[in-house]
Structures are given as C-alpha cells and as structure tokens.
C-alpha cells in the first residue's frame, strides 16, 4: 500500500455534499497515512446527501461532519493537494464562494493535484481550469465543462496534468487510486 506520510490534503465542502464522495476519499487518504483537513464556510457541522440511483433522489444523510477550519483560514502552501467532493448542492454553493474559487485556483497555480468528482468540476469551471483539458464529471455538468473549454470524456477517472476528475460515486475506487497515485508522485 502507498504511504502518504507527511502529506496534507485539503477538502472543501458544505451542506449537500454527496456522502460517499467526501467520506470514502477521506478514509482512503487517512488509511494511506495522509492528514486530511476539511474546510467550509464556517465550522458548524455540515450534512450531506446519499444519492439513490434507483429513485434519482438524494435524501439527507444521517451522518454529519464538523469542518476543521473555515475557507478564510486556509493557507494553500500548507497542503499538498485539494479534493472536491460532489453532490448537486455542495459544489453549487461552493462555486458561489469567491474564497473557495481562489483556493482551487491557487492549488492549480502551484501545480498541486486538484481532484473533483461528480458536480465538483463546477468549481474548476469557475476557476477557469478546464480550458483545453481532458476531464469528466456527472452527466448534467458535462455541457458546462465543454462550454468552459474542456475535452469531456466518459471515463471513470481522467488525469490531465494536475487535474483529476471523476464521474460519480461508482467511480470512487478509481478516483481514490488516482488521487493517491498523484500524491505518491
């Protein structure tokens, strides 16, 4: 197993994150030895959703998580990568936070891995990071990605330089493996 000792990963999320897309990558990174820090708009507990493919609904999760810090407290120099969980509501709220977009752009500018799953590529669009890049995302955001200049493909995970994108909860194993591989260098 890859060991990520001394690696620090930032995740940013708010209410409405897809539960599996926050907790599964977080757990995989922690098991690999990385330190994972969650930032949000404030430090109140946030609640996700659990998408049900059979019904197409996303009922509120029974599980919440308390952010470690606010977006305003993030110093990107202290982290080696950023992971952006999806869900429909979370990335939509986060892309309206100028500080969140500033953080995402800073990671990209520093050449650090920027990993986004599901609807989270909306943050990459807001930070203008997809122009000319191969990428993937949830079905309903693909046209937005295309309009932002991405070459959109239908693959479980796409790595283009330091940008890692993935489609949905079913792709989490491939997403986690790509993130860990990028951090292992």
């Amino acid at each position: 197993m890859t060991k990520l000792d001394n690696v620090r990963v930032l995740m940013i999320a708010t209410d409405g994150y897809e539960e599996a897309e926050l907790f599964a990558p977080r757990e995989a990174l922690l098991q690999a030895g990385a330190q994972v820090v969650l930032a949000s708009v404030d430090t109140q507990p946030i609640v996700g959703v659990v998408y049900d493919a059979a019904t197409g609904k996303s009922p509120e999760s029974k599980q919440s998580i308390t952010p470690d810090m606010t977006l305003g407290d993030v110093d990107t120099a202290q982290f080696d990568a950023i992971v952006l969980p999806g869900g429909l509501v979370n990335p939509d709220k986060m892309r309206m936070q100028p500080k969140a977009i500033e953080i995402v752009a800073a990671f990209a500018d520093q050449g650090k891995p920027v990993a986004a799953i599901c609807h989270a590529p909306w943050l990459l669009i807001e930070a203008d990071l997809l122009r000319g890049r191969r990428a993937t995302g949830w079905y309903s955001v693909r046209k937005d990605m295309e309009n932002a200049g991405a070459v959109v493909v239908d693959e479980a995970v796409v790595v283009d330089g330091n940008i890692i994108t993935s489609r949905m909860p079913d792709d989490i194993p491939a997403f986690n493996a790509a993130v860990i591989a990028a951090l292992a260098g």
Side-chain angles (χ1 to χ4, degrees):
M1 181 211 261
T2 303
K3 287 303 283 174
L4 299 178
D5 298 333
N6 302 315
V7 171
R8 296 188 80 218
V9 178
L10 179 69
M11 295 182 89
I12 62 172
T14 191
D15 289 317
Y17 60 86
E18 168 58 49
E19 182 179 289
E21 295 170 358
L22 187 147
F23 289 106
R26 182 176 183 271
E27 185 59 31
L29 288 162
L30 290 170
Q31 286 184 5
Q35 179 186 0
V36 181
V37 175
L38 176 63
S40 190
V41 293
D42 59 41
T43 56
Q44 295 303 305
I46 57 176
V47 178
V49 296
V50 178
Y51 179 71
D52 182 339
T55 65
K57 296 184 179 181
S58 297
E60 190 172 281
S61 171
K62 304 286 187 246
Q63 191 171 10
S64 67
I65 188 168
T66 302
D68 302 297
M69 64 173 53
T70 68
L71 296 172
D73 292 332
V74 171
D75 176 0
T76 59
Q78 295 181 355
F79 297 94
D80 301 295
I82 187 168
V83 174
L84 307 169
L88 174 63
V89 175
N90 164 57
D92 193 42
K93 286 181 178 179
M94 279 304 211
R95 70 181 173 157
M96 301 304 291
Q97 297 291 324
K99 185 63 177 173
I101 302 310
E102 178 186 312
I103 290 167
V104 171
F107 274 91
D109 289 346
Q110 295 165 19
K112 297 175 181 179
V114 177
I117 188 169
C118 192
H119 288 76
W122 271 337
L123 283 87
L124 306 182
I125 292 168
E126 289 295 324
D128 196 24
L129 300 179
L130 293 181
R131 194 170 316 284
R133 302 270 197 147
R134 285 182 79 248
T136 194
W138 184 253
Y139 307 104
S140 64
V141 302
R142 291 181 184 171
K143 183 52 87 173
D144 296 339
M145 295 169 71
E146 239 176 63
N147 289 340
V151 177
V152 179
V153 296
D154 187 16
E155 297 174 12
V157 67
V158 176
V159 179
D160 187 333
N162 63 325
I163 304 293
I164 302 165
T165 52
S166 197
R167 301 175 300 190
M168 65 186 96
D170 289 348
D171 299 331
I172 290 171
F175 180 69
N176 290 350
V179 172
I180 289 170
L183 288 166

